Amino acid sequence: MAFEIINPESLGAPRGWNNGLLAPPGGRILFVAGQTARDAEGRIVPGDFVAQFERALQNVLAVVREAGGGPENVGRMTVFVTDRDTYLGSQKELGEVWRRHMGRHYPAMALVEVSALVDEGAVVEIEATAVV
């Protein structure tokens, strides 16, 4: 299953995401609820922003894999953070985490700074849409 990458020249070259991914015909859409760095007992795993990002991404991918897909099936992702500056200051480490779990696959993405997340102690939440 391969998405067709849609990056209009008029928007300039994206870096670390794509502006659009067009799913192939016949794919099933999977909507992944916002995932924080929760473990199986519902506790936020200890660690800094990067550790929470990694666990939240792993949780998203666990849902995608359960549906029969993999990282390459994720077409859209929204990352909610409680501190945009921490996100921006962690880009090198986040890039390493990203490549470890997503390889060089970059879905259409958005980053949203919020005042708080529903899970106490969570600093990042990721939701996604995949086509499997």
Side-chain angles (χ1 to χ4, degrees), residues 49 77-84 87 109-117 123-125 127:
F49 179 85
M77 190 176 284
T78 304
V79 179
F80 299 92
V81 298
T82 59
D83 187 338
R84 177 183 166 270
Y87 174 86
M109 293 184 65
L111 176 73
V112 180
E113 183 180 36
V114 297
S115 61
L117 296 165
V123 296
V124 62
E125 183 170 329
E127 70 173 19

Side-chain angles (χ1 to χ4, degrees), residues 54-132:
E54 183 164 25
R55 181 57 184 253
L57 181 58
Q58 289 173 321
N59 290 348
V60 165
L61 293 175
V63 176
V64 173
R65 287 186 177 103
E66 185 72 18
E72 70 281 1
N73 295 99
V74 177
R76 184 203 57 81
M77 190 176 284
T78 304
V79 179
F80 299 92
V81 298
T82 59
D83 187 338
R84 177 183 166 270
D85 291 337
T86 299
Y87 174 86
L88 292 173
S90 303
Q91 287 185 329
K92 181 176 186 268
E93 296 88 354
L94 293 173
E96 292 167 4
V97 167
W98 186 269
R99 286 184 293 282
R100 202 165 37 250
H101 297 284
M102 298 291 290
R104 296 275 180 199
H105 176 66
Y106 300 102
M109 293 184 65
L111 176 73
V112 180
E113 183 180 36
V114 297
S115 61
L117 296 165
V118 71
D119 289 337
E120 183 80 27
V123 296
V124 62
E125 183 170 329
I126 303 172
E127 70 173 19
T129 304
V131 179
V132 294

Side-chain angles (χ1 to χ4, degrees), residues 14-76:
R15 186 172 154 218
W17 76 91
N18 281 299
N19 289 298
L21 294 182
L22 183 61
R28 296 174 52 207
I29 298 174
L30 171 66
F31 300 99
V32 181
Q35 301 294 316
T36 59
R38 292 173 58 156
D39 63 16
E41 284 75 43
R43 296 180 304 248
I44 297 296
V45 298
D48 63 5
F49 179 85
V50 174
Q52 283 202 26
F53 180 91
E54 183 164 25
R55 181 57 184 253
L57 181 58
Q58 289 173 321
N59 290 348
V60 165
L61 293 175
V63 176
V64 173
R65 287 186 177 103
E66 185 72 18
E72 70 281 1
N73 295 99
V74 177
R76 184 203 57 81

